[in-house]
Amino acid sequence: MDVLLYGLGRMTEKIEKIIRKEHRIIGYSDSYSKINLYKGKKFFLPEEIKNVGYDFIIITTGERKTAWQIQQELVNNYDIEKEKIIPFAVYAKSEIVENTMTELKDIDGIILGNSHAFYSILPKYLNGKFISLACPSQDIYHNYMAFQRYVSKECSGGGNNLKYIIFDLYDYNFFNSDVSLTKGLLSYMCWGGVIDKRNFDLNTHYAMEFEKELFNAHYMLAKLTEKDKQSMDMMFGTYENPILADMNYQMQNRWNYIKPDEPLQSDKFVADVVTKKFKSTILENIKILDKFIRAVKKINSNCKIIFTLIPRYITMEKVMSVTMKEWKQDFETILNDFQEKYEDVHFFNYKNRIEISGNNHFYGDICHMNALGGRCFTTMLSGDISKFD
């Protein structure tokens, strides 16, 4: 296939590298450059594209909204066939789990959790081959779905070789959380979460159906058409989305650190998930976590499941400990029940490890570690896990 790349920017070469080798890049284009050649190949003005012999145009901007708008402009202003345009940012795999599965086979362990795990548990600082399926705002249900999607792909023999699963449970009220009923669901998916609407139809924060809300908010498609999927498979085969990889790299490589007297994040004290008990959500999440454990044991009965709690910065932890006091007992009871019911289920609570939480140089914001904190915390966790060997 002859391919024309539209857009000269930060992602152009990264997207170019994942195009399958049998395809030929015949030239480049964009809306603001007036040059003859780029990287030794012909550069075409937008008005010249229609007369070029190409099979596909790939829009290489990393912004979904911009990519979609460029596609519309090419169709409406330059009479380009929509079927021959691939707005990569819109069509590319958006889920962390989809992209992570291209990285490693025969892995030893999986990391699950929300932003606490995403920033604090770094795979390459654990002993063995680990992958992280953690994602900001990922609740118990979507963690379970990420795990299910991973093992269903038959990578690592469907997970038969798994030795460890590290599952961070955020805080004592985590069983009270259902992101699909909050305003945060669409942002969760934008950050690389699993596109599964769960209880979205009961979400009072949105008026339109899930697919429309997702597209209006982030220009994300809940599902590609079969034709568009075939075009992506034909053009890229197995690939890792460089846009998502770049975003995650930037997020996990923060070297800024907070002040010792950093202001508290007050919204964490007054959120509904803290101040109100949603009994049906709690019961549903307990059942989901039980299903998760049973699913792991079915794959490998000897796999160790390690639940963790990761500390915020110490001033935040001290204030939150008052708020979390009434949640703590129920949380510990739930975990104790799981530990009694299943073998190799463990709970590592790091909230009182002040060598981590008491060091402001380890935190990029008052609730999340920076790159240094993540490396130090993961090294501590790795040492604790090694005691099982």
Side-chain angles (χ1 to χ4, degrees):
M1 296 284 187
D2 287 342
V3 180
L4 184 68
L5 299 187
Y6 190 101
L8 305 183
R10 191 161 57 93
M11 283 295 152
T12 304
E13 290 191 5
K14 293 183 178 182
I15 293 174
E16 184 175 350
K17 286 179 181 179
I18 63 173
I19 295 173
R20 295 173 69 167
K21 301 301 181 184
E22 61 263 31
H23 304 306
R24 185 170 69 103
I25 297 171
I26 61 170
Y28 300 84
S29 180
D30 70 19
S31 62
Y32 55 84
S33 301
K34 293 184 179 180
I35 54 180
N36 294 320
L37 295 172
Y38 182 75
K39 294 177 63 177
K41 295 183 179 179
K42 177 68 176 172
F43 183 90
F44 300 97
L45 298 175
E47 55 266 29
E48 297 174 326
I49 293 176
K50 187 178 179 181
N51 298 319
V52 178
Y54 63 86
D55 295 294
F56 280 95
I57 299 171
I58 300 175
I59 300 171
T60 61
T61 178
E63 299 289 333
R64 291 190 187 95
K65 181 178 180 180
T66 303
W68 190 262
Q69 289 174 339
I70 290 172
Q71 181 193 55
Q72 301 303 106
E73 289 172 6
L74 291 176
V75 172
N76 297 331
N77 299 341
Y78 300 102
D79 202 24
I80 307 296
E81 295 178 59
K82 185 179 178 181
E83 291 73 18
K84 290 189 174 185
I85 304 173
I86 296 176
F88 181 85
V90 180
Y91 289 0
K93 298 181 296 186
S94 65
E95 298 178 1
I96 288 175
V97 62
E98 290 180 299
N99 288 279
T100 304
M101 288 188 297
T102 67
E103 293 180 1
L104 293 172
K105 293 184 178 180
D106 300 319
I107 66 165
D108 298 307
I110 292 174
I111 301 162
L112 295 167
N114 64 10
S115 56
H116 282 210
F118 178 83
Y119 286 108
S120 303
I121 306 178
L122 309 179
K124 70 178 182 179
Y125 293 93
L126 291 165
N127 291 326
K129 292 182 179 180
F130 280 75
I131 60 169
S132 178
L133 305 183
C135 181
S137 295
Q138 190 159 263
D139 60 15
I140 290 174
Y141 172 82
H142 287 94
N143 274 291
Y144 175 57
M145 293 308 299
F147 172 76
Q148 288 287 71
R149 292 198 184 191
Y150 174 77
V151 298
S152 69
K153 296 296 182 180
E154 297 186 4
C155 131
S156 305
N160 292 331
N161 298 321
L162 283 175
K163 298 177 183 177
Y164 302 102
I165 291 180
I166 303 169
F167 193 154
D168 183 66
L169 295 177
Y170 175 61
D171 213 331
Y172 297 116
N173 65 325
F174 198 41
F175 289 95
N176 200 42
S177 176
D178 178 352
V179 73
S180 70
L181 294 176
T182 72
K183 294 179 181 178
L185 178 65
L186 305 183
S187 294
Y188 158 68
M189 293 173 182
C190 186
W191 289 323
V194 176
I195 299 179
D196 184 311
K197 67 177 185 177
R198 194 188 181 185
N199 293 320
F200 178 85
D201 292 341
L202 302 176
N203 192 323
T204 58
H205 298 290
Y206 298 99
M208 294 183 292
E209 61 186 21
F210 169 69
E211 291 78 8
K212 289 182 179 179
E213 293 285 4
L214 182 62
F215 187 80
N216 286 350
H218 299 294
Y219 285 81
M220 293 181 68
L221 299 175
K223 188 177 182 180
L224 285 185
T225 67
E226 193 58 36
K227 190 168 185 178
D228 290 335
K229 186 178 183 302
Q230 289 173 359
S231 296
M232 290 295 289
D233 290 343
M234 177 273 300
M235 189 59 59
F236 299 102
T238 300
Y239 70 98
E240 180 184 6
N241 182 351
I243 299 172
L244 182 64
D246 184 71
M247 179 181 74
N248 288 346
Y249 178 83
Q250 296 296 329
M251 291 171 69
Q252 291 183 321
N253 283 271
R254 306 181 303 166
W255 289 96
N256 64 293
Y257 57 89
I258 62 174
K259 299 175 182 178
D261 59 349
E262 188 78 9
L264 299 178
Q265 193 172 337
S266 58
D267 63 302
K268 297 295 182 183
F269 316 136
V270 297
D272 284 352
V273 72
V274 175
T275 61
K276 299 178 182 178
K277 272 195 176 182
F278 304 108
K279 292 183 180 180
S280 61
T281 296
I282 293 170
L283 292 174
E284 186 178 6
N285 280 328
I286 292 172
K287 290 179 181 178
I288 292 168
L289 201 61
D290 188 73
K291 286 173 63 177
F292 164 76
I293 296 172
R294 285 189 280 112
V296 173
K297 294 302 180 182
K298 186 176 181 180
I299 293 167
N300 182 358
S301 60
N302 295 317
C303 180
K304 291 179 172 58
I305 301 172
I306 301 165
F307 294 114
T308 63
L309 286 180
I310 298 171
R312 303 173 179 89
Y313 183 55
I314 192 166
T315 56
M316 191 72 180
E317 276 299 327
K318 286 180 177 179
V319 176
M320 287 298 294
S321 66
V322 178
T323 307
M324 288 293 152
K325 188 174 182 181
E326 63 178 282
W327 292 98
K328 187 172 184 289
Q329 184 175 350
D330 289 345
F331 176 91
E332 291 177 342
T333 298
I334 293 168
L335 286 194
N336 285 336
D337 288 345
F338 282 131
Q339 288 178 284
E340 291 178 4
K341 185 176 180 180
Y342 299 102
E343 292 185 6
D344 288 322
V345 173
H346 308 272
F347 174 40
F348 293 176
N349 190 343
Y350 291 96
K351 282 184 169 290
N352 294 321
R353 298 298 294 267
I354 60 173
E355 64 266 49
I356 296 291
S357 65
N359 192 332
N360 63 295
H361 291 269
F362 288 171
Y363 287 82
D365 61 67
I366 201 164
C367 291
H368 303 98
M369 293 179 198
N370 57 19
L372 177 60
R375 294 176 185 188
C376 292
F377 176 78
T378 306
T379 301
M380 175 187 289
L381 174 61
S382 185
D384 290 339
I385 293 173
S386 68
K387 297 174 184 176
F388 290 127
D389 298 333

